[in-house]
């Protein structure tokens, strides 16, 4: 027992704990307790998610909740642990990594299915390597807001329940303060978990892990004659869908190492991510990524590379290498199809036609040539049917001739009636609000001075990003000039 947590566990009313991951056994994790933080305070609570999890509002407002979600107090039913995984980082085998600062509290049954609850920044674990086991307020707010922004956009993601802060000092490039973000997911298993057991020769554990994932998350694979190849194919297809969603939303993850790839095809581990401001296909959001390995336009290929690593890790379970290769092949058809479907929806095209591919390519080319603001372009396009709407789109381009040629191509593809019918749908596909770097930055600077109103406002806007939210147009405008100078690195 951690000597610092000396209070008896509190009850969290209404929750049923399941803790399936813990049944995998001691080879998969180390049981341990969070390390408490001094003088914790609330930064933000996500009431929508709390409701989905079945947490009572009064309890979430309590001192007990603050203590539990800072790691200062245990609750009945928890089985805290840190899991072990490995991974490829920036293209190189990095060996053993693991939850260096995340502690899985356990898993609860909810109306929407089981959800694991994890504290990120909860102190050192056997996998902390050189790290201090902590997360800073800045990065915790970014993860919290972006998880919910992605969820609001309908993009598969882990979610975030709350952020608590502390005055404990943490050294990064400068001294910052510690915070804990409570995340939830049906599972936090990564490609790197499979790589860990495969490359260390623990093939029984590899099989147990694959069986666990199949039984709990991909039950259809169980019916197959080759369940593990089918698992690889199912993960490839989900990942392809995720990449299409990221590309269509203009989302850059920034650190697509295999340990940051969810086996469920969820966006996971928010670090130096960015939503594009000006459209630049080669944009690199991670200041530490000097080679641009994880640039926006490289993400789909990197995901395939990562799936290849997963396939290699699964080979001991797959009889024929050809089966693994065939499973991976599915990515190459599912990704372009999924991207095309998303782009067609963004353009408001009611059906699929062969010429759409060229129109989509031309749209991207045009946006890139003029570095047009990605989110504003799509939102304005929703009103293309009206003369003022058309003019507002045209105003975004310096190259008017280029724009006009594209607009003609677009108009020919869509009769005004179509577009009118589609406008409503387009407004539900092209968000008004995304978590731009400068918006996060402003909320973080205020939060450092104990003003959390900016975090709350952003949470409200980003959880419903397709709605107008009158009075908040300033959150939907062009980024200020200083936004381009914001540097976000791996340091978090
Ligand atoms: P990331 O790139 O943030 O996904 O982290 C890569 C690895 O480093 C994971 O094993 C993390 O748990 C670990 N890590 C990152 N930051 C810290 C930290 N401050 N303390 C301990 N481990 C860390
Ligand atoms: Mg990570």
């Amino acid at each position: 027992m951690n000597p610092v947590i000396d209070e008896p566990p509190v009850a969290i009313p209404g929750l049923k704990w399941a803790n399936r991951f813990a049944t995998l056994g001691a080879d998969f994790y180390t049981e341990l307790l969070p390390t408490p933080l001094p003088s914790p305070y609330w930064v933000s609570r996500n009431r929508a998610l709390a409701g989905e999890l079945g947490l009572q509002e009064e309890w979430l407002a309590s001192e007990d909740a603050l203590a539990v979600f800072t790691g200062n107090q245990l609750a009945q039913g928890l089985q805290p642990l840190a899991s072990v995984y490995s991974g490829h980082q920036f293209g190189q085998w990095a060996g053993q990594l693991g939850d260096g600062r995340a502690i899985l509290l356990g898993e609860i049954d909810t109306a929407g299915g089981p959800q694991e609850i994890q504290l990120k920044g909860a102190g050192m674990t056997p996998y902390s390597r050189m790290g201090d086991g902590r997360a800073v307020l800045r990065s915790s707010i970014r993860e919290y807001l972006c998880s919910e922004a992605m969820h609001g956009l309908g993009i598969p993601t882990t979610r975030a329940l709350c952020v608590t802060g502390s005055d404990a000092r943490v050294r990064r490039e400068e001294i910052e303060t510690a915070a804990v973000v409570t995340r939830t997911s049906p599972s936090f298993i990564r490609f790197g978990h499979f790589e860990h057991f495969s490359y260390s020769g623990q093939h029984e554990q590899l099989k147990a892990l694959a069986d666990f994932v199949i039984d709990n998350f991909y039950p259809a694979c169980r019916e197959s004659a080759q369940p593990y190849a089918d698992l690889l194919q199912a993960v490839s297809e989900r990942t392809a869908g995720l990449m299409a969603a990221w590309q269509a939303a203009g989302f850059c993850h920034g650190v697509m190492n295999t340990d940051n790839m969810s086996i469920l095809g969820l966006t996971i581990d928010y670090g130096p991510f960015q939503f594009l401001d000006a459209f630049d296909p080669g944009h690199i959001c991670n200041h530490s990524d000097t080679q641009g390995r994880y640039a926006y336009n490289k993400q789909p290929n990197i995901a395939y590379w990562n799936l290849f690593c997963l396939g290699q890790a699964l080979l001991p379970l797959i009889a024929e290498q050809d089966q693994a290769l065939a499973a991976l092949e599915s990515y190459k058809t599912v990704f372009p199809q999924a991207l095309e479907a998303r782009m067609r929806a963004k353009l408001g095209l009611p059906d699929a036609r062969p010429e759409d591919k060229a129109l989509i390519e031309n749209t991207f080319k045009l946006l890139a040539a003029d570095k047009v603001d990605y989110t504003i372009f799509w939102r304005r396009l929703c009103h293309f049917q009206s003369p003022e709407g058309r003019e507002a789109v045209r105003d975004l381009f310096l190259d008017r001739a280029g724009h006009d040629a594209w607009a003609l191509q677009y108009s020919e593809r869509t009769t005004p009636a179509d577009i009118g019918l589609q406008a409503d749908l387009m407004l539900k596909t092209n968000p008004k609000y995304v978590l731009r770097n400068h918006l996060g930055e402003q909320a973080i600077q205020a939060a450092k001075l104990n003003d959390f109103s900016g975090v709350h406002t952003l949470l409200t806007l980003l959880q419903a990003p397709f709605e107008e939210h009158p009075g908040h147009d300033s959150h939907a405008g062009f980024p200020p000039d200083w936004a381009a100078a914001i540097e976000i690195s791996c340091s978090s």
Side-chain angles (χ1 to χ4, degrees):
M1 185 87 177
N2 184 326
V4 196
I5 301 183
D6 47 12
E7 303 285 324
V10 297
I12 306 182
L15 293 195
K16 261 206 344 243
W17 293 86
N19 301 341
R20 288 177 300 177
F21 186 84
T23 63
L24 279 167
D27 292 334
F28 293 82
Y29 53 80
T30 302
E31 290 198 62
L32 81 179
L33 298 181
T35 308
L37 278 168
S39 42
Y41 59 86
W42 287 113
V43 175
S44 184
R45 278 162 282 191
N46 178 355
R47 294 200 165 72
L49 178 57
E52 289 175 40
L53 297 175
L55 278 174
Q56 295 175 1
E57 210 158 301
E58 314 84 76
W59 187 79
L60 191 61
S62 70
E63 285 298 309
D64 277 355
L66 175 62
V68 168
F69 294 129
T70 309
N72 290 5
Q73 166 77 63
L74 287 182
Q76 292 165 11
L78 309 185
Q79 201 172 345
L81 59 86
S83 76
V84 63
Y85 55 81
S86 295
H88 282 84
Q89 297 187 316
F90 290 90
Q92 307 290 328
W93 176 242
Q96 183 183 305
L97 303 165
D99 295 325
R101 54 176 169 170
I103 295 184
L104 180 67
L105 290 184
E107 181 194 45
I108 53 172
D109 273 333
T110 78
Q115 291 286 334
E116 291 186 343
I117 301 190
Q118 197 185 62
L119 302 183
K120 181 167 175 180
M124 300 245 271
T125 78
Y127 318 111
S128 298
R129 298 178 297 151
M130 307 299 281
D132 56 10
R134 293 301 181 192
V136 297
L137 180 65
R138 160 179 59 87
S139 64
S140 303
I141 290 175
R142 278 173 56 86
E143 168 138 14
Y144 176 73
L145 290 176
C146 199
S147 314
E148 291 308 295
M150 296 298 261
H151 180 72
L153 291 168
I155 300 176
T157 179
T158 63
R159 297 195 60 191
L161 176 66
C162 57
V163 179
T164 68
S166 161
D167 57 12
R169 289 151 68 86
V170 177
R171 180 179 294 279
R172 295 292 180 265
E173 273 92 2
E174 47 190 57
I175 300 289
E176 303 187 47
T177 57
V180 176
V181 53
T182 300
R183 330 193 264 193
T184 70
S185 176
S187 171
F188 288 96
I189 296 176
R190 302 139 191 276
F191 292 7
H193 281 95
F194 289 86
E195 292 179 285
H196 180 75
F197 293 104
S198 187
Y199 297 142
S200 58
Q202 302 178 71
H203 294 172
E204 265 177 42
Q205 288 85 340
L206 176 69
K207 182 172 180 301
L209 182 67
D211 287 336
F212 178 85
V213 168
I214 288 174
D215 292 344
N216 290 298
F217 306 108
Y218 292 94
C221 300
R222 184 55 71 208
E223 313 303 321
S224 153
Q226 33 168 341
Y228 307 109
D230 270 26
L231 174 64
L232 181 59
Q233 176 160 342
V235 176
S236 299
E237 289 173 5
R238 279 210 205 169
T239 306
L242 182 69
M243 288 309 113
W246 284 5
Q247 298 308 108
F251 176 78
C252 310
H253 181 280
V255 204
M256 289 177 67
N257 294 332
T258 56
D259 52 300
N260 290 338
M261 296 292 292
S262 152
I263 201 71
L264 301 185
L266 307 174
T267 314
I268 192 172
D269 280 13
Y270 291 89
F273 68 81
Q274 186 180 2
F275 283 89
L276 294 176
D277 290 317
F279 185 68
D280 171 10
H283 185 72
I284 304 162
C285 65
N286 179 355
H287 195 63
S288 319
D289 181 11
T290 47
Q291 305 294 310
R293 178 177 173 86
Y294 299 136
Y296 167 76
N297 59 1
K298 302 247 180 80
Q299 296 187 126
N301 282 345
I302 288 290
Y304 182 76
W305 192 92
N306 290 342
L307 284 161
F308 199 89
C309 290
L310 177 65
Q312 212 141 35
L314 285 170
L315 273 186
L317 307 180
I318 299 177
E320 302 284 335
Q321 193 167 332
D322 285 353
Q323 290 176 353
L325 289 173
L328 291 168
E329 267 314 283
S330 63
Y331 184 88
K332 296 181 187 165
T333 44
V334 175
F335 169 70
Q337 279 169 4
L339 181 62
E340 202 175 304
R342 287 205 175 250
M343 297 317 295
R344 230 187 274 114
K346 288 178 84 66
L347 286 160
L349 308 181
D351 54 358
R353 293 194 203 157
E355 66 265 30
D356 293 347
K357 213 167 164 290
L359 176 62
I360 293 165
E361 270 170 25
N362 280 346
T363 310
F364 278 130
K365 262 193 217 146
L366 194 73
L367 292 174
D370 265 352
K371 294 205 167 13
V372 173
D373 189 276
Y374 191 69
T375 302
I376 291 178
F377 167 78
W378 289 108
R379 190 70 179 182
R380 287 194 185 178
L381 195 69
C382 303
H383 302 288
F384 194 75
Q385 78 275 24
S386 73
E388 311 82 65
R390 261 171 211 249
E391 213 41 51
V393 171
R394 192 168 192 261
D395 281 348
L396 293 170
F397 295 87
L398 286 174
D399 173 12
R400 296 294 164 101
H403 164 272
D404 293 348
W406 169 86
L408 187 66
Q409 186 191 14
Y410 182 46
S411 306
E412 280 170 354
R413 173 67 178 85
T414 52
T415 66
D418 273 349
I419 284 283
L421 279 175
Q422 291 296 308
D424 272 358
L425 281 178
M426 288 173 76
L427 286 165
K428 294 190 178 96
T429 305
N430 296 311
K432 180 168 177 181
Y433 300 96
V434 295
L435 180 57
R436 294 178 190 265
N437 262 351
H438 76 276
L439 296 173
E441 193 59 28
Q442 284 165 334
I444 288 162
Q445 291 312 330
K448 285 183 174 173
L449 303 172
N450 295 315
D451 171 3
F452 307 119
S453 59
V455 176
H456 302 321
T457 302
L458 280 178
L459 183 67
T460 305
L461 300 176
L462 296 169
Q463 285 186 326
F466 302 110
E467 288 174 20
E468 283 297 324
H469 300 285
H472 286 289
D473 284 356
S474 62
H475 289 86
F478 291 98
D481 288 343
W482 58 266
I486 299 174
E487 287 177 356
I488 311 277
S489 69
C490 278
S491 153
S492 61

